[in-house]
């Protein structure tokens, strides 16, 4: 008889928890206001993101590029190109006029930049396994790709 009552109580408790979870009820959500809808993320305009990225590449070139050969001397410039590339990727993801097939080469170039940045520092111009071509070279390749493939 004891097992029967225990099983019945456990089954009722499981049913109550499942029903509460399915309905979205939660005591912690109602206690701290977390049940409010999340703020919508602002859509990134593709034209603006493209222009910002292109301007970053132009600025890099106009400033002379990365002249120093020593490691650690181009990290700021690499970051300055990576930030607008990430914003551009968000805009590409949100763009309704084209699909991922259109962007596949651009995504690959941004991924290559990310791989170079993932090292965590500038490896220098002459180091074996330098990450400068992955970041700086891919940024220039992406800039040329964007010129050849306008999406607006």
């Amino acid at each position: 008889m004891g097992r029967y009552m225990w099983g019945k109580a456990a089954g009722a408790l499981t049913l109550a928890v499942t029903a509460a979870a399915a309905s979205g009820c939660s005591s912690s959500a109602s206690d701290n206001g977390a049940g409010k809808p999340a703020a919508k993320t602002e859509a990134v305009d593709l034209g603006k993101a493209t222009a910002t990225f292109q301007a970053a590449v132009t600025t890099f070139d106009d400033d002379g590029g990365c002249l120093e050969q020593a490691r650690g001397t181009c990290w700021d410039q690499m970051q300055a190109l990576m930030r607008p590339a990430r914003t551009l990727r968000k805009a590409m993801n949100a763009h309704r006029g084209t699909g991922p097939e259109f962007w596949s080469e651009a995504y690959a170039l941004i991924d290559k930049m990310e791989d170079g940045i993932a090292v965590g520092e500038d490896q220098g111009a002459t180091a074996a396994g330098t990450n400068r071509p992955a970041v700086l070279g891919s940024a220039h390749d992406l800039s040329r790709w964007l010129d050849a493939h306008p999406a607006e």
Side-chain angles (χ1 to χ4, degrees):
M1 177 112 149
R3 268 192 263 168
Y4 174 74
M5 292 300 288
W6 171 249
K8 196 172 187 179
L13 181 60
T14 302
L15 179 62
V17 168
T18 303
S23 68
C25 294
S26 161
S27 61
S28 63
S30 61
D31 291 345
N32 65 8
K36 296 178 184 175
K40 292 184 180 180
T41 57
E42 188 175 317
V44 180
D45 177 65
L46 180 62
K48 183 178 177 184
T50 300
T52 301
F53 176 77
Q54 297 283 47
V57 172
T58 300
T59 299
F60 175 81
D61 291 342
D62 289 349
D63 289 349
C66 186
L67 301 175
E68 297 293 324
Q69 300 289 314
R71 68 184 303 139
T73 55
C74 287
W75 186 243
D76 290 340
Q77 290 121 321
M78 293 165 82
Q79 291 289 331
L81 291 171
M82 194 69 244
R83 280 188 296 273
R86 288 176 176 142
T87 302
L88 177 61
R89 181 175 34 217
K90 288 178 188 175
M92 291 168 14
N93 288 340
H95 191 255
R96 301 286 180 223
T98 55
E101 306 82 34
F102 177 81
W103 297 111
S104 61
E105 191 171 341
Y107 285 135
L109 291 167
I110 295 172
D111 288 347
K112 194 171 181 182
M113 291 175 69
E114 289 283 8
D115 290 343
I117 289 291
V119 172
E121 65 181 357
D122 169 23
Q123 296 294 306
T126 58
T130 180
N131 57 342
R132 285 186 186 179
V135 179
L136 305 175
S138 295
H140 284 86
D141 291 344
L142 178 58
S143 179
R144 286 187 290 276
W145 187 92
L146 291 167
D147 287 338
H149 300 88
E152 294 293 333

